[in-house]
Amino acid sequence: MVTRIQQPQAPGSVATEARVLGHQKQNVSLAQEHEALAQEHEALAQEQALREEKKAKTQTRAEQSSEDGKDSNSNVHELRIATVGNVDSGKSTLIGILTGGELDDGRGKARAKIFARRHEAESGRTSTISQHIVGVNGDGKLVHSNTHKGKGVNLTTAAKYKAWREVMAQSKSVISFVDLAGHEKYLKTTIGGLTGTFPDYACLVIGSNMGITKMTKEHLGVVLALKIPFFVVLTKIDICPENVLKRTRQKLFKILKSRYAKKQPFLVKNLGDVQTCVKNLSSKITPIFTLSAVTGEGIKELENYISNLKPRQVWDSKAQNVEFTIEETFNVTGVGVVVSGNVTRGRLVANSRLLLGPFSDGGFKTVLGKTLQRKRCPVSVCNAGEGCAVALRLLKSKDTLKRSDVRKGMVLLDPTSEPISTMSFEADVLVLHHPTTIKENYQAVIHCGNVRQTAKMVRIAEKNKKGKDGEEIKTENLNTPKD
């Protein structure tokens, strides 16, 4: 029998073997960690690739949508209707129900959606010039935005943009309502709106329970002097007694038939009468509508009438020299100075060089019209007779353009037009009614397009040779030169 005697191992060899085993286990765990990290990095890379692919597709769709929007919005024709009338006659409420597609509740729900200022919402009276749109589709029906329906009165800026873009996308043509002030102290603002927004038609709104007031006659006189075709809307017939409505209607007929107005009033009672008025737009017939914003009586006839109206003014879109009149100025974060107004001649193209002025010294500065928006939709071209907003930037990098440098009444012109500003001009004046004597050094406010400027009459000539009532005068601006 052989017995094997196992020799004891040295302590050092045991420790070495333990360290080797420990290193092997550590290497295995490190390899597993590296493999897990590699898989995680691969998953992140795939996720990033998918995200970039999705972003690229979204951007492509947005660019295509923007280009399609530019092309479609450029083909949408615009009709402007200015609303005038005495304070509290229901002008803003009428625009609210026509553009919103919902009736009023009798407590100011419709008008609250279109007020542009907080104090207007608090007082219920318009004091500024604001524009609101409603579309007309191929069937002649009005197109309203679903954003306003069933919503509160305080819409965000994004919601307003969405509402206007919905209307523009679904419409063949668009009607822009110009909401003007009715109070006597805002008469200059109303006159500026009638001369500066270039309306095709005017809507004279009369509260049937209030009758013909002083400001009603004043607004009617301005519309007649500017030779703007108009129609009349008698509102609030649901709360007006029959005898008061009859008296208001008789007085209105008398004024329209007078030798000053020389119009033929026509009371619209049904859709057949609407077609009669549409066929005789060029005649002296003045349609008169009676309606209620609460019950909806007479709304259908008015909507049918305005949807059949066509733009009255003829604009020169083929002119080489573009002319853009500035109405409002804004300072947009991340964009800079933005001006809004109307193209009165030629075609305004995005990313084009323009002359801005005249400034206080009578000069002009070269600017770049970066981007255009028409009715809150991006466009590449804006034709004569259309309103839009333009983002401006000075060409010289050292110079900065501030909002305070740009005023209402300034213009954007083609660089090749070589404009000349002036401090005086001659004009023929016809005085309709004035309580005091007009003589030399008399100061008056001149309204010419978007320009509202105080001027002094330095010379009054004799009666003109044609024998008509009027005087030839020479005036001087008291502030800044005009183009």
Side-chain angles (χ1 to χ4, degrees), residues 100 102 109 113 145-153 155:
E102 292 181 320
K109 175 184 176 182
K113 293 183 178 182
S145 171
N146 294 324
T147 305
H148 289 277
K149 295 182 178 180
K151 302 290 182 65
V153 297
L155 293 177

Side-chain angles (χ1 to χ4, degrees), residues 30 33 39 66 83 171 174 190 204 229 249 269 274 278 296 345 347 409 460:
L30 288 175
E33 289 181 4
Q39 293 177 356
S66 177
T83 56
S171 304
V174 62
T190 301
L204 179 62
R249 198 162 49 224
K269 299 180 180 179
V274 172
V278 171
R345 186 173 66 240
R347 303 178 71 203
I460 300 180

Side-chain angles (χ1 to χ4, degrees), residues 31-45:
Q32 292 176 350
E33 289 181 4
H34 282 300
E35 186 178 357
L37 288 174
Q39 293 177 356
E40 185 177 354
H41 282 300
E42 185 179 357
L44 289 174

Side-chain angles (χ1 to χ4, degrees), residues 295-343:
T295 63
E297 181 181 354
I299 298 294
K300 186 177 180 180
E301 287 76 11
L302 179 60
E303 290 182 343
N304 188 277
Y305 176 74
I306 63 175
S307 63
N308 283 281
L309 293 177
K310 304 298 179 183
R312 173 181 60 91
Q313 304 187 60
V314 180
W315 301 92
D316 188 5
S317 298
K318 298 182 179 180
Q320 295 182 354
N321 295 333
V322 64
E323 180 178 336
F324 179 86
T325 59
I326 297 176
E327 184 177 349
E328 289 186 87
T329 62
F330 309 92
N331 192 10
V332 182
T333 304
V335 178
V337 178
V338 178
V339 297
S340 66
N342 300 282
V343 181

Side-chain angles (χ1 to χ4, degrees), residues 215-229:
M215 291 309 301
T216 304
K217 298 177 182 178
E218 192 78 27
H219 290 173
L220 177 59
V222 174
V223 170
L224 291 172
L226 295 175
K227 298 180 180 180
I228 303 175

Side-chain angles (χ1 to χ4, degrees), residues 194-211:
L194 288 173
T195 58
T197 58
F198 309 102
D200 295 289
Y201 298 90
C203 173
L204 179 62
V205 182
I206 302 174
S208 57
N209 58 335
M210 301 169 61

